[in-house]
DNA sequence: GCTTGACCTGTGTCCAAGACACAGGTGTAG
DNA sequence: CTACACCTGTGTCTTGGACACAGGTCAAGC
């Protein structure tokens, strides 16, 4: 299979496949005549797995470890459980950060509606940003 | 001021300051004797502004534009309002994505608690990941 | 057979926002 | 004077692809 054929039914892009190939998760053979990379059924299978794992929040590096473990014939399951737990923690952190940022942004936009535009002064670049108090709107 | 002195009261790191310097937001002068970068009061002021803007979700590039506008003596306020509106949209998107991911992860962890570890087979690398149905737990 | 044009390919580079490694400089306590 | 802790600039690395580019492929038309 050529990269575009491999990509066809899976919901992903050629660039993504090429990236996975570059980091060694997929191992196509190079055509003698073309120079084109030829993917086999195992690659298709691995790709499907990679995409599933990515959707669950595993990093590409995580997936590499998991595949390596599985290639030895061992269960990757314990590793998978541990990693996902860790990734969940990180996602929780990102979630909280994003939540807080979103609140700050909305709060700023609201607060700015009653404020005029001003030219910068010697010690004030933008009074909107510098005058915004992140904790406003709290009480 | 040396970089560590500049950093001291602001809540940031030398690496961050060096980065802002590298991209041209700060303009220290190079000491003849040391080679050390010497930051002035204006740099301190700009840094404070940059950090405030970063905390509100502006990208470093955004801030560059805003500073450029302000350097002409014009109001950067309209620009600031427009940019923040756009960044809020993006943050909203990230927020939704992260929220959904978090749910998927938690759902997977829950679902996996009753499942055993299994060795990989010819067409199953990890039955936990491959067997996880993202829409499970919905009905 | 030949050519045109649409699409496809691999390779190389680029992105954000710093973090990290490293070799060397500085400053001070003894 | 030396030992040692800390500080500095420069250069490279990170994630997960996206994008640019020059060239190759393939079917339609003449």
């Amino acid at each position: 299979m050529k990269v575009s054929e491999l990509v066809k039914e899976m919901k992903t892009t050629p660039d993504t496949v090429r990236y996975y190939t570059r980091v060694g998760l997929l191992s196509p053979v190079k055509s003698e005549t073309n120079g084109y990379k030829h993917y086999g059924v195992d690659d298709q299978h691995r790709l499907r797995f990679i995409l599933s794992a990515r959707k669950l929040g595993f990093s590409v590096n995580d997936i590499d470890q998991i595949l390596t473990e599985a290639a030895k014939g061992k269960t990757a399951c314990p590793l998978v459980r541990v990693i996902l737990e860790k990734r969940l923690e990180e996602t929780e952190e990102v979630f909280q950060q994003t939540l807080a940022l979103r609140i700050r942004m909305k709060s700023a936009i609201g607060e700015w509606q009653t404020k005029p535009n001003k030219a910068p002064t010697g010690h004030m670049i933008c009074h909107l940003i510098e005058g915004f108090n992140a904790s406003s709107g709290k009480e």
Side-chain angles (χ1 to χ4, degrees), chain A:
Chain A
M1 277 185 295
K2 288 183 290 184
V3 60
S4 62
E5 294 166 352
L6 176 61
V7 152
K8 203 143 287 176
E9 51 246 81
M10 324 282 226
K11 223 179 86 188
T12 189
T13 72
D15 273 327
T16 299
V17 169
R18 283 194 264 264
Y19 173 64
Y20 294 157
T21 304
R22 187 148 45 186
V23 299
L25 295 187
L26 300 175
S27 320
V29 289
K30 210 163 183 174
S31 161
E32 293 293 335
T33 66
N34 261 353
Y36 284 15
K37 282 159 185 164
H38 186 77
Y39 295 86
V41 196
D42 47 338
D43 286 314
Q44 191 174 11
H45 201 213
R46 285 164 80 92
L47 177 56
R48 201 186 310 279
F49 172 74
I50 295 166
L51 294 176
S52 300
R54 289 287 299 136
K55 210 160 70 181
L56 264 176
F58 290 90
S59 75
V60 171
N61 188 28
D62 291 340
I63 294 169
D64 192 23
Q65 286 182 55
I66 294 166
L67 284 173
T68 301
E69 195 70 7
K72 297 181 199 160
K74 299 191 203 165
T75 326
C77 296
L79 181 60
V80 164
R81 294 180 203 268
V82 170
I83 293 177
L84 188 54
E85 208 79 44
K86 193 161 52 172
R87 295 290 164 256
L88 174 57
E89 272 181 45
E90 294 167 4
T91 301
E92 189 65 39
E93 178 64 22
V94 171
F95 176 74
Q96 295 299 336
Q97 292 297 323
T98 309
L99 179 59
L101 173 60
R102 193 179 69 142
I103 291 171
R104 276 200 303 278
M105 294 172 101
K106 286 187 175 180
S107 167
I109 288 176
E111 198 175 307
W112 290 354
Q113 256 164 358
T114 62
K115 292 196 175 179
N117 299 338
K118 280 189 194 169
T121 71
H123 51 88
M124 215 32 152
I125 292 163
C126 170
H127 75 115
L128 293 178
I129 291 173
E130 278 155 298
F132 177 69
N133 182 355
S135 65
S136 72
K138 269 292 193 58
E139 78 262 280

